[in-house]
Amino acid sequence: MTDSSLPASPRWRSGLEQEYATLADTLAQLLPCLEVPLHLPWIDAIRQLKQQRGAVIMAHSYQSPEIFHGVADITGDSLALAQAAADCDSDLIVLCGVHFMAESAKILAPDKTVLIPDLEAGCSLASSITAADVRALRERHPGVPVVSYVNTSAEVKAESDACCTSANAVQMVEAMGVDKVIFLPDRYLGSWVATQTQVELVLWHGQCEVHEKFTAMEARHTRERFDAKIVAHPECAPEVLAEADFVGSTSAMGKWLEKEQPRRVAMITECSMADNLRNQFPNVEFIKPCNLCPHMKRITLPNIHACLRDLKHEVVVAHDVSVRARAALERMLAVGRRERI
């Protein structure tokens, strides 16, 4: 229900541009400049609502700049957001990402209210496998532990021995302490992990609908046409990774840029990642072979505002599923981030 004591609908008011001058300057470098005044009333209203609700807004690195820079309190990759949910002091979390991320936040913070602005913000990887599929894999490979990428549903996590992100996938596989591991659901990430370890991997056939679109030809063309360094996410196909100067997770890409400071770089990942990094690295020219995640882009300033105003849509995970999935996620958090840059 709408609380009549909450601020009115977003509207332009005198002094708004001056009040948000610093943010407006930042966004003007990352977005078409004519968009910025349209975003400011929404940003202002969300910030007021957030304060009144005592909410924390968490945004994934693939969120658009007006969300990532404009309203988020905590930003980062899947691992960073999972850790933040586990440590969060607020009783109300708004997760600006996709549904499996909101589920993970709820699992790690079961006593808190977790909201997602759009329930349809899904993930092609998460939808590629079910809990029944995991049980069938276990039957075909008795005694072999399961490591599931966080891009999976709560039910799949509950059937897993451990979770991982792209930031610690190799370390999680090796932490199982065995010669063979079932790794799911991303076959491309799994193929890359297999090149980094002696552990034999049983792979699933899932793939990210954003990263699978990139081609080796695009990477080569970008390097040759723009004299750019190529930085790729391991969810890309092996032939794309073979063209890259660096392969790493969302957070590792930023750390590599900080270390190397290339003149030009192409980020072979979701397009908004480059938008959000441009502010951090003003001396780096970003060449964008741009693919957008349609699920991430379901999250908008208007539906974040509605989410806070009406306290919708609450993410609920069944208790028995939550308990088992939490054990897999906590095993991931115990290993943490172990990438070599």
Side-chain angles (χ1 to χ4, degrees), residues 5-304:
S5 68
L6 294 175
S9 297
R11 66 186 188 280
W12 187 264
R13 58 178 172 79
S14 177
L16 199 60
E17 280 186 301
Q18 290 74 27
E19 185 176 340
Y20 289 99
T22 301
L23 174 61
D25 286 344
T26 296
L27 293 179
Q29 298 173 49
L30 309 177
L31 297 167
C33 61
L34 292 176
E35 289 186 12
V36 176
L38 303 177
H39 293 315
L40 290 183
W42 289 102
I43 290 169
D44 181 55
I46 289 168
R47 288 187 175 192
Q48 291 183 57
L49 268 176
K50 178 174 64 174
Q51 184 175 8
Q52 289 191 254
R53 293 294 197 192
V56 167
I57 297 180
M58 300 183 185
H60 190 268
S61 298
Y62 294 168
Q63 287 298 306
S64 300
E66 68 273 14
I67 296 171
F68 187 90
H69 295 285
V71 299
D73 301 292
I74 297 168
T75 58
D77 61 6
S78 297
L79 180 56
L81 297 184
Q83 290 170 324
D87 299 336
C88 183
D89 291 331
S90 174
D91 290 330
L92 179 61
I93 297 171
V94 177
L95 202 298
C96 296
V98 293
H99 195 265
F100 76 80
M101 297 177 185
E103 281 189 330
S104 294
K106 181 62 178 178
I107 290 164
L108 291 167
D111 296 329
K112 301 183 186 303
T113 299
V114 177
L115 307 177
I116 186 168
D118 191 325
L119 284 171
E120 298 302 313
C123 172
S124 59
L125 281 168
S127 63
S128 73
I129 190 165
T130 66
D133 293 325
V134 183
R135 291 191 291 270
L137 280 168
R138 284 190 180 277
E139 289 180 7
R140 291 200 295 271
H141 304 277
V144 178
V146 174
V147 173
S148 292
Y149 198 22
V150 287
N151 298 42
T152 48
S153 67
E155 289 80 7
V156 167
K157 291 180 176 70
E159 299 292 337
S160 307
D161 296 284
C163 292
C164 72
T165 70
S166 53
N168 63 10
V170 175
Q171 290 74 24
M172 288 310 309
V173 164
E174 294 180 344
M176 296 297 99
V178 294
D179 296 331
K180 186 177 182 180
V181 167
I182 298 169
F183 185 91
L184 52 89
D186 191 327
R187 66 188 180 107
Y188 289 149
L189 176 61
S191 296
W192 179 78
V193 170
T195 68
Q196 310 295 307
T197 181
Q198 297 299 311
V199 178
E200 179 187 354
L201 298 185
V202 177
L203 301 180
W204 188 247
H205 50 70
Q207 55 215 33
C208 169
E209 66 185 278
V210 174
H211 291 95
E212 70 173 331
K213 293 178 182 176
F214 293 107
T215 67
M217 182 182 297
E218 285 178 320
R220 285 193 298 272
H221 171 78
T222 302
R223 183 195 304 282
E224 294 165 3
R225 173 68 177 81
F226 298 101
D227 188 27
K229 296 293 185 181
I230 306 297
V231 177
H233 194 281
E235 288 177 22
C236 294
E239 59 269 23
V240 175
L241 302 185
E243 299 289 337
D245 296 285
F246 177 75
V247 176
S249 71
T250 302
S251 61
M253 289 180 178
K255 292 177 182 177
W256 184 90
L257 288 174
E258 187 173 6
K259 176 184 175 184
E260 298 295 330
Q261 295 289 325
R263 186 166 59 95
R264 292 193 188 95
V265 67
M267 308 291 290
I268 312 298
T269 188
E270 212 276 351
C271 197
S272 291
M273 176 75 182
D275 287 330
N276 293 323
L277 284 172
R278 279 163 55 201
N279 180 61
Q280 187 178 344
F281 300 101
N283 296 322
V284 177
E285 182 181 354
F286 287 85
I287 310 300
K288 298 196 299 180
C290 199
N291 287 330
L292 292 170
C293 174
H295 307 290
M296 285 285 183
K297 270 37 187 187
R298 294 187 73 95
I299 309 301
T300 64
L301 291 175
N303 63 25
I304 294 171

Side-chain angles (χ1 to χ4, degrees), residues 288-336:
K288 298 196 299 180
C290 199
N291 287 330
L292 292 170
C293 174
H295 307 290
M296 285 285 183
K297 270 37 187 187
R298 294 187 73 95
I299 309 301
T300 64
L301 291 175
N303 63 25
I304 294 171
H305 181 268
C307 174
L308 278 166
R309 183 193 63 207
D310 303 332
L311 296 179
K312 64 177 188 181
H313 307 272
E314 184 172 359
V315 175
V316 178
V317 180
H319 178 71
D320 61 325
V321 171
S322 181
V323 169
R324 290 183 291 134
R326 183 184 178 99
L329 283 168
E330 287 183 336
R331 198 165 183 177
M332 173 189 78
L333 294 179
V335 168

